[in-house]
Amino acid sequence: MVPFEWMDPSFVFKFDDEITNPGPKRQRRPGTVHPLLNFIPQRDVFLQESIRHEGRGLEDGASMTCGGCKRSDAAAYFRCETCFDCRLFCASCVVSNHAANPFHWVEEWDGSFFIRRSLRELGLHIQLGHPIGETCDRPVKVKREVLVVLHTNGIHSVNLNYCNCNQAPLRHVQLLRSRLFPATVGNPQTAATFELLELFQLLGFMSKASGFELFQTLVRLTDNIGNPVPDRYKSLLCMLREWRHIRLMKRMGKGHDVGGISAAAEGSCAVLCPACPQPDINLPPDYNEGPLSKTWIYTLFLAMDANFRLKRLDVSNDANDPGLNNGTAFVVDETKYKEFLKEFGEQVPVDTSTCNNHDAIKSANIRGGKGIAASGVGAVDCRHDLKRPTSIGDLQKGERYVNMDYLFVSNLKRNAPQRVSQSYDIVCQWTKHLLERLALYESTISLNVRHDFCFFIPKWHIAAHRASCQTDYSFYWSPYVGRTDGEAPERGWAAMNSVASSTKEMGPGSRRDTLDDFFGDYNWRKVIAIADALFAKVKDAVPERAEHVSCFVELCDSIAESAPDLIQTWTTMVQEWENDRTKPNPFTSTQEVLSIHKVRLELAEEDQQHLAKGEEDAQVHQEVTPSEFLSQAIELEDIQAVLASDYSNLSLNPTELQKAKLRERRNRLLRRILNWIDLQKDHMPGVSRMRKECSAMNQGIAESIPLLMPSAVLKKVTASQELLNYEFRYRSAQIGTTLDDLRRHLVLRDQLYSSKDRHVRGQSANTRSRGVLTRLEGKIKNDTRKYRQILEQLTSLSDVVKNDGQWKKTWLPLSDQDVSGLRNFDEGVRPSLIEGQVSVGKRVLSWIWRRSGVVNNTDLRNEGETVRIEWCKSRARAHRWQEECYLLQEEMRRVKVYFKYRAQEWRAAATTPYSIKDEGRRAYAMRQAAVFDSLYIRCISVWKECEGYFTMGDDTKDTPGTKDTVDTVDTVDTAA
C-alpha cells in the first residue's frame, strides 16, 4: 500500500512531555499537614479572639482617650464595623472620618456592650455637587429629608442635600456622579451604590439567586433580629434592570455612537463568538471562492433547540412592564415577533411525524397550560456553545415550526457566511417544507442573502430516530463537519435552568432583559476562556486523529491483502452517497435478517415435501412433525418467561382479581405443557423418567417446569439427529430475534430517560415514570437472560450437529457491559479531555449494535457487508478527526483576528476628538481596547506550545494548509 499521504506531518501538533504524558497527581509536600489539623488545637484561641471583638479590646490600665482628637475628656464610645482601625473615637471624630465613607456602620459602647448606630444618628450630612468639606450656598434637602441607600452591607437612611447652585446638574445626575444609582428620575428617595448593583449582578450570574433572596440578605445585614427595615424591594428590582441595561449599552459601545442607545441595531449588543466565521471581521475577502473541499472550514455551525423549563406565568403585560433592550441583544424584538406569529401562526401547521414519536412533535401544539403566557423559549447556538444574536424567543403553544423558523431566520440576518450547517433534534421533520415556508415569509423577514444549508440531527438525539435518519442526518458519517456534535443548546440549558424559578414570575419586559443579561454573561465567560477551551480540544483532537488514521490504514492494509480492488469500490460507493443521498447508503446493511418465523416456515415446507414424497413413516407422530414439536416448545418457553416475570412483579399485597388472573394463566399454560409432554414421549422417549424428578411438575407451577429440549438433555438422553438439527436452526434464528428485542428495549429506555429528565416534574409523574422504567428494565433483563441461555444451547448443539462455526463470530458472549444503550457509548474507552464529551467518534461501540444478522466474513466480495460497513465507519472517523484538526486551526486563527479587530475598533473610538468633559469616553474606549489586547496576548501565550508544529497562519491571510483532505485520503484509498 502507498504511504498515507493524508497524514500530513507538517500539521501534527507536538507537546511537551508533561502535556502528552502527564505525571502522577500532585502530592502534598513531605512534612506538611492538612490546614484543619493545624487549626484544631487553636480553636479556643480563635474563639476567644472572636469574643474579644465584642468588647472594647482595652488592656489593663488603658484610658478612654479618643483615637482622633486625643482628648481624654471626649466621649470615646464609638468605633466602625468596617474600617480597619478598631480604636474608639468620639462622635465628632467618627463623623469627620467617614465623610468619604458615609455607608459604614458604627457601634456605640453603652457601658455594657456595643449597639449599632448609623452615621446619620451621629449627625453626618451628605452634600452632593461639591468636594467633601466644601459647603453649598444653595443646598436643597432630599424629599422627606431622608434618602434610603442600598449598599453591600445593608440598607441605610442618610441625610442628603442636593446642590442648587447655578449650572448645577440635575438631581439624578448628581447622584450618578457620586456613584449612586437613583430609583427614579426627578426627586428620588431611594438609590443604590454602584458597588451593590455590580455585586448583585455577578451574584445572580454565579449563584442564580433571585432579587428577592438578595434583598432579604440586605435586610438581615441591616438588622438580623426582626426590627423593621425600609422596604425597597421593588425599587431594587427596577434599579437592577436599569443598571443591567446601561452596563450592556456601555460595554457594547453605544455611548460612543453618534446615535446613542436609540440607534442601536438589532443584535448589535450581543456578545459574539470570536471563533465563528464573521464576514468582514475574521474571514478573508475571498473566503467563499474555491471548491468546497477548501471553503468548508468557513461554515457556520448552528444548533437549534427549545427549553420548556424557561416558561413564564401570565403576569403583567408589555404596557405595564416594557422591555429596555428591545431586540438589541439575544431575545428577538417582541413587537416584530408577535406580528410575525399573528400573520403566519395559523398558516404553518405542524406536519404529522413520519419518524419516531418525538417529544418536540408531540408538544408542538400543546398550550403552556392554565396561567402560562410562555411555555418555554427556543434558541439557536453556535458550535462553541454561545447564544447567537436575536435567536431567542418565547414559545406560546409548544415547539411550533413558525416560532423556530423565525428564530432560525432572525439569527442568519446577523452577519452569517454563505455556508450554514444547522442541527435540530427533529430536523428530519422540520426541513420537509422549510423552503416553502421561507418563501412564504419572504415579504416579512427577507434573508437578502441566499445561504447554502446542510442539516443534521444532534449526536445525542439521533439515537431516537429511525435508521434512515441516523445516516442521512448524521454528523458522524457526513463530510466537512469535523467533530461537531450539535448539542450546544443542551449544555447551555443546563446552565440556565436554575434561573427559571425566578424568571417565570417576572413580567414580559423584565424577563426578556434578564435573559439577555444572563445569556450575555454566559457568552462572555465562554469568550474569556476560549483560548484554553480550544487548546484543550487540540490536545484531544491530535492524538485521536493519529489513532484513528492509523487504525484506518491498518484496516485498509488487511483488506488489500485478500481483495486489493475492494477499497476502490467501497470508496466510490461512499463518495457517491456523500454527494447524492439518493444513492445506496454504504453505512447500512441490505441483508435480510433471519427470523424465527422464517425458519419455522422453511421447516414446515420441508415437512410438506416429506409428506408429498410419501414419507409419512419417517414422522414419529402422525399429526405433529418434529419441526412443529420444537416450534411449540419454543413458544412455550416464551410464555413461561412472561408468566414468571409477571409473578415476580406482583405486589406484596395483590388483589383477589390479580391473583385469579395469574392462576388462570398458569392453569392454561399447564394444560398446554402437559399436552406437549405427551408429544415429547413420542419424539423423545427417554425423558419420561426425568420428569418424575421435577418438583414443579408435581406442584403445578407451570412457569418453572423444564421442557427438557434436546440441547438440555444431550448427555442424559439420546435425541434424533433430525431433532438436534431442527433445534439448532431454530436457536440460530431465535438468538437474532432476541438480540433485536434487546436493542429495541435499550433504545426505548434511552428515550424514556431522556423524556423523563427533560419533562417529568413532581412526585406523581416521577412515580409513574419509575414504574414504566422498572417494567422496561425487567424486559431488558429477560432479553439478556434469554440470549445467554440460547447461546449456551447453541454451544451445546454445535458439537453434535453439522455447522461451519461461523455463528460463533456473530453471536458473542453477552457481558453486563455489553448491555448498554446508544446513550452509553463509553465502552471501556478512556474519557475525553473535553469535559462531558464522549462520542461515537472516539470509542468502540458495543458489539450488540454492530450485528445485523448471521454474516459470513470469509468471502469479502459476496458476504463482506459487515466489513464494508466497519470500513466506511473507520474511514468516516478518520475523516472527522482530520477535519476537526483543520477546523481548530482555522478557529484559532479567527479568534486572534477577532480580538485584534475589536481592539482596533475600540482604539478608533478612543481617537475621536473629545473635550475634557468627555475624557471618560476616551478612557473607557482605551480600557476596552486593552481588554481585547489582553485576550489576544493570552491566546498567543496559551497556544505558543503549538508553534513550529501547527501552522497557525498569518492573521491577515487565508488559512494555510487547507489541503483537500477528503480528496487526498480517497486518492490514497483508491491507490491502496
Side-chain angles (χ1 to χ4, degrees):
M1 183 177 180
V2 299
F4 197 67
E5 298 173 2
W6 187 41
M7 190 69 172
D8 184 4
S10 65
F11 188 81
V12 177
F13 280 97
K14 294 183 181 179
F15 303 103
D16 294 339
D17 290 339
E18 66 178 55
I19 297 178
T20 54
N21 299 304
K25 186 177 180 180
R26 184 177 179 181
Q27 302 293 326
R28 192 180 299 276
R29 292 194 305 272
T32 61
V33 295
H34 196 283
L36 286 179
L37 298 179
N38 290 329
F39 167 76
I40 291 174
Q42 297 294 318
R43 285 181 294 179
D44 287 326
V45 176
F46 279 75
L47 177 60
Q48 293 304 320
E49 289 299 317
S50 175
I51 294 176
R52 185 177 186 273
H53 285 287
E54 297 297 323
R56 292 172 292 176
L58 300 177
E59 302 294 341
D60 293 338
S63 65
M64 293 290 292
T65 303
C66 174
C69 60
K70 305 299 182 182
R71 291 172 52 190
S72 59
D73 59 337
Y77 298 135
F78 302 94
R79 72 179 183 187
C80 181
E81 291 182 0
T82 310
C83 292
F84 184 75
D85 192 350
C86 296
R87 293 178 298 168
L88 296 176
F89 297 86
C90 64
S92 176
C93 290
V94 165
V95 171
S96 62
N97 291 344
H98 286 84
N101 297 298
F103 308 122
H104 284 192
W105 293 110
V106 295
E107 297 175 317
E108 178 185 5
W109 181 257
D110 71 344
S112 300
F113 55 90
F114 280 105
I115 302 174
R116 173 177 282 189
R117 300 293 187 193
S118 68
L119 289 168
R120 172 175 171 264
E121 293 177 295
L122 300 182
L124 178 66
H125 279 74
I126 300 175
Q127 176 62 57
L128 301 183
H130 295 271
I132 293 175
E134 182 179 307
T135 60
C136 178
D137 295 334
R138 301 176 60 185
V140 177
K141 291 183 179 181
V142 69
K143 187 177 180 181
R144 298 180 184 175
E145 298 187 358
V146 175
L147 179 73
V148 177
V149 177
L150 284 68
H151 189 47
T152 55
N153 61 355
I155 303 172
H156 302 262
S157 296
V158 300
N159 291 328
L160 182 140
N161 294 333
Y162 295 110
C163 174
N164 199 31
C165 299
N166 293 331
Q167 307 300 321
L170 297 175
R171 294 178 180 180
H172 65 276
V173 175
Q174 294 183 42
L175 288 171
L176 289 170
R177 291 184 177 179
S178 298
R179 299 179 184 273
L180 294 174
F181 200 96
T184 58
V185 176
N187 198 359
Q189 293 180 259
T190 306
T193 62
F194 284 13
E195 183 181 356
L196 171 71
L197 294 175
E198 184 172 7
L199 178 64
F200 265 31
Q201 189 178 21
L202 290 177
L203 278 176
F205 292 152
M206 303 311 298
S207 68
K208 306 300 186 293
S210 67
F212 180 78
E213 293 166 333
L214 293 172
F215 179 75
Q216 290 303 316
T217 302
L218 287 183
V219 171
R220 296 189 63 183
L221 284 171
T222 306
D223 187 284
N224 202 23
I225 58 175
N227 291 322
V229 174
D231 185 3
R232 295 296 190 270
Y233 169 58
K234 292 184 178 179
S235 298
L236 176 62
L237 294 184
C238 184
M239 288 186 288
L240 189 57
R241 279 191 64 190
E242 295 168 354
W243 169 266
R244 287 170 168 169
H245 176 68
I246 295 301
R247 295 271 284 189
L248 173 65
M249 296 300 154
K250 176 183 176 182
R251 287 169 173 166
M252 293 304 157
K254 302 311 169 187
H256 295 73
D257 289 348
V258 177
I261 295 177
S262 59
E266 287 187 61
S268 61
C269 296
V271 179
L272 302 179
C273 176
C276 281
Q278 301 177 43
D280 303 324
I281 295 179
N282 61 4
L283 291 186
D286 58 346
Y287 79 93
N288 204 32
E289 299 177 5
L292 181 60
S293 58
K294 293 183 179 295
T295 61
W296 73 270
I297 56 175
Y298 306 120
T299 301
L300 175 61
F301 292 95
L302 301 177
M304 187 162 61
D305 193 29
N307 185 339
F308 293 104
R309 293 194 190 182
L310 289 175
K311 56 173 59 74
R312 187 182 74 82
L313 301 180
D314 192 6
V315 295
S316 191
N317 51 53
D318 287 298
N320 295 326
D321 185 36
L324 298 176
N325 297 340
N326 297 326
T328 57
F330 299 98
V331 181
V332 296
D333 183 273
E334 188 71 5
T335 303
K336 296 180 180 178
Y337 187 42
K338 287 185 176 179
E339 290 176 353
F340 175 83
L341 296 178
K342 182 179 180 181
E343 181 178 359
F344 299 105
E346 302 302 326
Q347 300 183 43
V348 183
V350 176
D351 300 327
T352 302
S353 175
T354 58
C355 190
N356 291 341
N357 195 18
H358 300 292
D359 291 329
I361 296 294
K362 289 188 296 182
S363 60
N365 288 317
I366 297 177
R367 295 183 181 271
K370 185 177 181 180
I372 298 294
S375 60
V377 299
V380 182
D381 289 38
C382 72
R383 159 183 154 98
H384 310 96
D385 194 15
L386 278 80
K387 292 291 182 290
R388 293 279 297 170
T390 61
S391 65
I392 298 172
D394 285 341
L395 306 176
Q396 295 77 33
K397 297 181 181 180
E399 204 166 342
R400 296 188 302 171
Y401 290 167
V402 65
N403 295 75
M404 305 307 288
D405 290 346
Y406 186 90
L407 302 180
F408 170 66
V409 175
S410 177
N411 99 87
L412 289 180
K413 297 172 70 174
R414 310 279 91 81
N415 199 24
Q418 178 74 21
R419 181 175 167 84
V420 176
S421 167
Q422 178 70 59
S423 62
Y424 187 22
D425 52 2
I426 54 169
V427 78
C428 56
Q429 308 300 311
W430 175 67
T431 55
K432 278 184 178 180
H433 304 289
L434 177 62
L435 296 180
E436 292 91 330
R437 297 199 301 273
L438 293 182
L440 178 66
Y441 309 147
E442 185 69 27
S443 60
T444 304
I445 48 172
S446 175
L447 273 176
N448 297 325
V449 179
R450 300 302 176 186
H451 297 272
D452 298 328
F453 295 114
C454 45
F455 298 102
F456 299 94
I457 298 172
K459 289 182 176 179
W460 186 81
H461 288 82
I462 200 170
H465 285 254
R466 60 183 181 181
S468 59
C469 295
Q470 293 184 21
T471 50
D472 292 345
Y473 300 102
S474 173
F475 277 112
Y476 295 114
W477 320 132
S478 301
Y480 307 127
V481 297
R483 291 281 302 152
T484 308
D485 60 9
E487 297 291 357
E490 300 295 341
R491 293 185 283 271
W493 295 144
M496 287 297 299
N497 284 337
S498 54
V499 80
S501 59
S502 58
T503 57
K504 74 176 182 181
E505 304 282 352
M506 296 180 179
S510 177
R511 176 172 171 272
R512 292 194 297 269
D513 293 344
T514 301
L515 290 179
D516 274 338
D517 198 38
F518 274 86
F519 285 129
D521 176 72
Y522 182 82
N523 275 18
W524 178 248
R525 282 186 284 158
K526 293 285 183 179
V527 169
I528 61 179
I530 199 163
D532 297 300
L534 289 180
F535 188 51
K537 288 185 177 182
V538 167
K539 291 193 292 184
D540 185 35
V542 171
E544 292 289 347
R545 169 182 176 268
E547 178 179 349
H548 286 285
V549 168
S550 176
C551 291
F552 180 61
V553 173
E554 292 177 2
L555 180 60
C556 290
D557 288 338
S558 62
I559 295 174
E561 292 178 0
S562 57
D565 58 336
L566 266 188
I567 294 179
Q568 169 67 42
T569 303
W570 291 346
T571 299
T572 303
M573 182 179 183
V574 72
Q575 285 178 335
E576 291 178 349
W577 178 80
E578 288 175 346
N579 296 326
D580 184 2
R581 294 302 171 92
T582 62
K583 299 289 184 180
N585 190 332
F587 292 94
T588 59
S589 173
T590 58
Q591 290 183 342
E592 184 179 0
V593 179
L594 186 62
S595 69
I596 191 170
H597 301 295
K598 183 178 180 181
V599 173
R600 182 175 180 178
L601 177 60
E602 291 177 354
L603 295 179
E605 290 175 349
E606 292 180 9
D607 291 340
Q608 183 180 8
Q609 293 175 2
H610 287 300
L611 294 172
K613 294 179 181 179
E615 299 180 2
E616 293 88 345
D617 294 338
Q619 305 296 329
V620 177
H621 197 283
Q622 294 297 324
E623 296 181 358
V624 180
T625 65
S627 65
E628 293 173 334
F629 165 73
L630 290 176
S631 174
Q632 292 178 18
I634 290 176
E635 183 179 353
L636 290 174
E637 282 182 342
D638 293 337
I639 298 175
Q640 282 183 311
V642 173
L643 183 59
S645 176
D646 290 344
Y647 263 107
S648 64
N649 293 330
L650 198 62
S651 63
L652 295 177
N653 298 302
T655 64
E656 297 296 331
L657 179 60
Q658 290 175 329
K659 292 191 290 186
K661 288 184 176 180
L662 285 177
R663 170 58 67 180
E664 291 171 355
R665 288 172 56 191
R666 176 181 280 177
N667 292 339
R668 288 195 297 269
L669 177 59
L670 181 61
R671 286 193 294 269
R672 291 190 60 181
I673 291 177
L674 292 176
N675 291 334
W676 182 83
I677 289 176
D678 289 338
L679 296 176
Q680 190 180 35
K681 294 176 182 178
D682 296 329
H683 290 278
M684 300 175 63
V687 300
S688 297
R689 55 183 175 83
M690 299 179 64
R691 290 285 178 198
K692 298 177 182 179
E693 305 172 2
C694 178
S695 59
M697 183 79 175
N698 300 328
Q699 298 174 10
I701 305 176
E703 66 273 16
S704 300
I705 298 176
L707 297 182
L708 302 180
M709 297 282 281
S711 58
V713 295
L714 278 175
K715 298 181 179 179
K716 298 180 180 180
V717 177
T718 302
S720 66
Q721 189 65 38
E722 185 180 32
L723 277 178
L724 295 173
N725 291 335
Y726 281 177
E727 184 181 0
F728 183 81
R729 292 173 65 180
Y730 266 121
R731 298 299 184 189
S732 298
Q734 189 185 23
I735 195 171
T737 304
T738 302
L739 190 60
D740 286 341
D741 291 340
L742 175 60
R743 289 185 292 214
R744 179 169 52 84
H745 290 147
L746 288 172
V747 170
L748 181 58
R749 183 182 67 180
D750 289 347
Q751 295 175 2
L752 288 178
Y753 271 116
S754 174
S755 177
K756 178 178 179 293
D757 293 341
R758 295 185 63 183
H759 302 297
V760 175
R761 296 293 178 272
Q763 182 176 354
S764 60
N766 272 287
T767 300
R768 289 193 297 270
S769 298
R770 283 195 298 270
V772 174
L773 287 168
T774 299
R775 291 192 293 272
L776 189 57
E777 290 288 356
K779 293 181 179 295
I780 292 173
K781 291 180 180 179
N782 184 60
D783 293 336
T784 304
R785 176 202 57 77
K786 184 177 178 181
Y787 177 90
R788 291 169 176 168
Q789 177 182 337
I790 298 171
L791 184 63
E792 183 179 350
Q793 293 165 337
L794 278 175
T795 303
S796 301
L797 291 169
S798 64
D799 297 332
V800 295
V801 300
K802 186 177 180 180
N803 65 92
D804 57 6
Q806 289 300 317
W807 65 272
K808 296 180 180 179
K809 299 179 181 179
T810 301
W811 312 121
L812 305 178
L814 188 63
S815 66
D816 291 339
Q817 291 75 19
D818 293 327
V819 185
S820 60
L822 292 172
R823 289 178 62 185
N824 307 318
F825 272 179
D826 55 344
E827 291 84 3
V829 178
R830 64 183 185 278
S832 171
L833 295 176
I834 307 299
E835 183 180 357
Q837 284 190 353
V838 179
S839 59
V840 173
K842 63 192 316 180
R843 57 183 177 253
V844 178
L845 187 62
S846 173
W847 68 265
I848 69 173
W849 300 101
R850 303 197 303 268
R851 296 292 185 270
S852 59
V854 179
V855 180
N856 184 358
N857 294 328
T858 56
D859 188 345
L860 293 178
R861 298 186 185 282
N862 299 326
E863 300 177 352
E865 194 169 68
T866 300
V867 177
R868 187 206 71 218
I869 293 174
E870 290 302 318
W871 178 89
C872 290
K873 292 182 178 181
S874 178
R875 172 187 177 276
R877 284 189 289 267
H879 274 240
R880 298 300 84 77
W881 282 110
Q882 171 73 350
E883 292 166 0
E884 181 71 7
C885 287
Y886 278 108
L887 194 54
L888 287 172
Q889 175 191 15
E890 165 63 13
E891 288 173 347
M892 293 165 83
R893 184 198 69 82
R894 289 201 293 251
V895 168
K896 294 199 301 178
V897 174
Y898 177 81
F899 287 153
K900 289 181 66 176
Y901 174 87
R902 291 303 306 275
Q904 293 169 0
E905 189 178 47
W906 278 109
R907 211 168 277 117
T911 58
T912 303
Y914 296 122
S915 64
I916 188 64
K917 295 181 180 180
D918 295 327
E919 183 183 26
R921 297 172 66 188
R922 182 180 184 280
Y924 184 74
M926 292 301 295
R927 183 155 70 91
Q928 289 295 91
V931 168
F932 286 99
D933 283 337
S934 66
L935 292 175
Y936 175 82
I937 293 172
R938 174 160 180 76
C939 291
I940 299 297
S941 175
V942 172
W943 299 337
K944 66 181 179 181
E945 297 177 52
C946 307
E947 294 179 0
Y949 306 102
F950 182 74
T951 308
M952 300 300 295
D954 189 343
D955 296 339
T956 60
K957 297 181 181 179
D958 197 352
T959 304
T962 51
K963 199 172 181 179
D964 192 343
T965 57
V966 176
D967 290 346
T968 304
V969 68
D970 288 338
T971 303
V972 174
D973 294 341
T974 303

